[in-house]
Amino acid sequence: DNLKALFRPVTMVVPDLMQICEIMLFSEGFDGAKGLAKKMTVLYKLSKEQLSKQHHYDFGLRALKSVLVMAGSLKRGSPDMPEQLVLMRALRDMNLPKFVFDDVPLFLGLINDLFPGMDCPRVRYAQFNDTVEGDLQENGYQVLTEASEQVDKVVQLYEVVMTRHTTMVVGQTGGGKTVILNTLARAQTKLGKKTTLHTINPKAITVAELYGVLDPDTRDWTDGLLSNIFREINKSLADGRDEARYLVFDGDVDAVWVESMNSVMDDNKLLTLPNGERIRLMDHCKLLFEVYDLQYASPATISRCGMVYVDSRNLGYQPFVSTWLSKRGSDAERDTLANLFGKYADPAIAWVLEGIDGEDLVRRPKQIVPATNLNMAAQLCMMFDATLKSDRPELADPVVIEALFVMAMVWSVGSVLVQSPETPDRDRFDAFIKKISGMGVIDGDRVSPSQLPTRSLYEYCFDTADLCWKAWRT
């Protein structure tokens, strides 16, 4: 130890979170700050230990400070509300947006243990919620109002953006991140706060093209894409003008380009360019990141941002399918297709993604390219649309529609599966589809639509001209 001391003149000390919490709570006007600080630090300690390990989770001092600031504003807004309830609401509303699907019940359980018998329903912003729901309907989306669903995620993003000037919207493709961002912008515009989104992909260009470059010999300055947009949006607003400008980074976050943004993301709010120019982030501007995951981001970057996690499991593929069905021609066709989705698509997608076969668990099939449930459902709908182009009356026969649906299933849900001597997953999928279809099988190069071929479905296509299954080899 004494040898270490000789070589390390600077010692890093872990901050005393409890003392910091207590002092901040007192300064925000809380009387029972000591007990509340204890509860808060215990909650963060337990969350760190018991919740799953995700790249975008941060339970450090910065996250704690933002909750304390929000608790203070809630306290001033509702001075008659009990202090425990105020803190519980701040802890829940600031942390829930970032949790993945499986961690939400665990975190709510921890909060209920620390604040027993307390229940504070989510605050509904009457005007904002109604505008969001109306906007989603206008743009042809399904309006999902349950907890952690589309409307709730827009409200969560709205709350996080109000308290943080840098927010990351994290989640799988097909979870609805872009829809949430665009809906928030449109809803705020309708409510009288003009909101514009300036979207750039930071990985599409080099760092020099992003921030600008200073020629070492001539000292000529070439402005970058980000520096130019950043300078433009941070120009002062005219007096009395209520406007919001969001700079959206739609691309991977990694240390190559994002570390230069750290001074903008923290309380300094300054972007320093290679030519020495400093641009301050104004109050009407915010930074938003739309990203798949934060695997390559440093903890320093993650701790500076508010997080909203959009889990594709909350959205699922049902809203997409409902919208697609509503655009089909006749009621009879809609009913037939809805039944076919229940019969084939739901169990097949569960089999491919989770390895669920009825009530049994089987080995999960191997995918060539990882696909989400929404990818598969969208591909299935497009495949079906492509095969059923004609308006011939014989194609409206439910037997023919089912045969076309089975073919679309094989080349959408079953298309990503691996077929090799070690993993014959296409053969397994073929057997699974034949089992749930309940149809008879027959051998031959031409098979009627009411039956299925004995050989693999991958070796056949359904011919809409002759209304029968035909082997590819013919």
Side-chain angles (χ1 to χ4, degrees):
D1 282 351
N2 57 1
L3 198 63
K4 274 186 196 170
L6 292 173
F7 293 101
R8 289 190 183 171
V10 178
T11 309
M12 296 291 284
V13 181
V14 177
D16 186 344
L17 295 181
M18 195 167 152
Q19 197 172 4
I20 293 166
C21 275
E22 193 179 330
I23 292 165
M24 277 203 71
L25 285 168
F26 268 129
S27 68
E28 296 285 2
F30 285 81
D31 295 330
K34 199 173 184 71
L36 294 175
K38 174 84 174 164
K39 286 191 175 191
M40 201 168 170
T41 45
V42 165
L43 177 69
Y44 269 56
K45 181 171 170 285
L46 290 172
S47 298
K48 209 174 198 173
E49 291 167 359
Q50 295 187 15
L51 301 186
S52 64
K53 301 285 178 278
Q54 302 290 332
H55 296 295
H56 65 274
Y57 283 3
D58 172 50
F59 298 106
L61 189 56
R62 275 200 184 96
L64 210 65
K65 183 177 177 285
S66 65
V67 173
L68 292 166
V69 170
M70 188 190 180
S73 65
L74 286 175
K75 170 84 173 158
R76 288 186 290 278
S78 314
D80 301 330
M81 195 190 280
E83 288 183 351
Q84 293 225 7
L85 201 59
V86 171
L87 188 66
M88 177 201 155
R89 193 178 134 193
L91 284 165
R92 186 196 60 197
D93 293 353
M94 284 294 282
N95 285 298
L96 269 189
K98 70 183 173 194
F99 290 130
V100 298
F101 188 80
D102 302 320
D103 284 341
V104 171
L106 289 171
F107 182 77
L108 290 175
L110 290 174
I111 277 200
N112 289 336
D113 289 346
L114 283 168
F115 299 93
M118 287 201 171
D119 182 35
C120 178
R122 288 256 310 135
V123 174
R124 191 178 189 278
Y125 305 90
Q127 204 180 358
F128 182 75
N129 279 54
D130 293 341
T131 309
V132 167
E133 288 168 24
D135 183 80
L136 286 168
Q137 212 153 13
E138 262 174 53
N139 286 279
Y141 297 109
Q142 300 286 320
V143 180
L144 308 168
T145 54
E146 292 300 312
S148 292
E149 286 188 343
Q150 209 90 27
V151 175
D152 192 34
K153 282 293 169 190
V154 177
V155 174
Q156 285 180 358
L157 180 61
Y158 173 66
E159 289 177 336
V160 173
V161 166
M162 277 198 296
T163 53
R164 307 285 281 259
H165 63 276
T166 310
T167 306
M168 289 190 173
V169 184
V170 188
Q172 278 182 314
T173 307
K177 301 191 293 292
T178 307
V179 171
I180 288 164
L181 288 173
N182 292 337
T183 305
L184 174 70
R186 287 193 301 264
Q188 288 190 165
T189 303
K190 283 177 182 172
L191 290 169
K193 185 177 190 173
K194 189 191 169 198
T195 306
T196 45
L197 300 177
H198 302 264
T199 309
I200 58 173
N201 180 357
K203 296 303 290 177
I205 51 179
T206 64
V207 176
E209 290 168 332
L210 197 64
Y211 292 106
V213 63
L214 187 70
D215 190 296
D217 302 323
T218 62
R219 308 298 291 168
D220 283 344
W221 167 248
T222 308
D223 216 5
L225 179 66
L226 170 60
S227 54
N228 186 278
I229 295 172
F230 199 85
R231 192 181 297 107
E232 285 299 311
I233 66 172
N234 282 290
K235 285 179 178 171
S236 301
L237 295 175
D239 287 341
R241 192 169 170 196
D242 193 14
E243 191 179 332
R245 296 169 187 168
Y246 297 159
L247 183 53
V248 183
F249 296 97
D250 189 354
D252 284 343
V253 172
D254 61 28
V256 174
W257 70 272
V258 84
E259 290 297 313
S260 306
M261 296 292 292
N262 280 356
S263 59
V264 187
M265 293 186 216
D266 61 25
D267 293 340
N268 295 313
K269 292 190 181 181
L270 272 179
L271 176 66
T272 308
L273 299 176
N275 65 344
E277 183 187 357
R278 291 181 166 198
I279 310 169
R280 183 167 290 282
L281 185 75
M282 308 302 283
D283 291 338
H284 62 268
C285 294
K286 309 274 184 191
L287 303 181
L288 294 173
F289 293 80
E290 189 182 332
V291 62
Y292 178 82
D293 69 9
L294 295 172
Q295 190 176 348
Y296 303 107
S298 67
T301 301
I302 292 166
S303 67
R304 285 171 161 83
C305 305
M307 292 288 167
V308 177
Y309 186 77
V310 182
D311 202 313
S312 57
R313 282 179 289 179
N314 285 324
L315 182 65
Y317 58 88
Q318 216 56 54
F320 176 85
V321 172
S322 303
T323 305
W324 180 76
L325 286 173
S326 67
K327 294 173 184 171
R328 301 305 300 170
S330 63
D331 289 343
E333 189 187 354
R334 273 198 288 274
D335 294 340
T336 304
L337 286 170
N339 292 333
L340 290 173
F341 262 98
K343 181 180 177 181
Y344 290 101
D346 297 346
I349 290 172
W351 186 83
V352 170
L353 291 179
E354 309 287 342
I356 296 170
D357 184 355
E359 293 182 359
D360 301 326
L361 275 176
V362 295
R363 180 180 65 78
R364 210 163 61 184
K366 217 175 195 175
Q367 294 178 313
I368 303 163
V369 177
T372 65
N373 52 12
L374 184 58
N375 290 144
M376 293 176 188
Q379 198 175 337
L380 171 60
C381 295
M382 288 172 193
M383 199 84 191
F384 188 82
D385 281 339
T387 51
L388 194 67
K389 283 285 183 196
S390 170
D391 291 331
R392 285 161 49 206
E394 56 266 36
L395 290 176
D397 182 358
V399 175
V400 174
I401 288 177
E402 183 165 1
L404 283 167
F405 195 87
V406 168
M407 187 179 80
M409 281 289 306
V410 170
W411 293 109
S412 56
V413 180
S415 64
V416 291
L417 302 182
V418 173
Q419 178 69 15
S420 68
E422 299 81 39
T423 50
D425 287 335
R426 285 193 172 190
D427 291 345
R428 290 175 62 213
F429 184 74
D430 173 69
F432 178 77
I433 291 292
K434 286 173 180 170
K435 184 180 85 175
I436 59 175
S437 73
M439 293 186 203
V441 292
I442 191 168
D443 198 13
D445 288 343
R446 290 167 71 94
V447 178
S448 72
S450 58
Q451 294 178 305
L452 292 176
T454 305
R455 294 201 299 273
S456 172
L457 288 166
Y458 288 92
E459 294 176 26
Y460 286 78
C461 72
F462 189 80
D463 190 340
T464 51
D466 294 343
L467 300 182
C468 67
W469 289 95
K470 282 187 179 177
W472 288 110
R473 65 186 181 187
T474 61

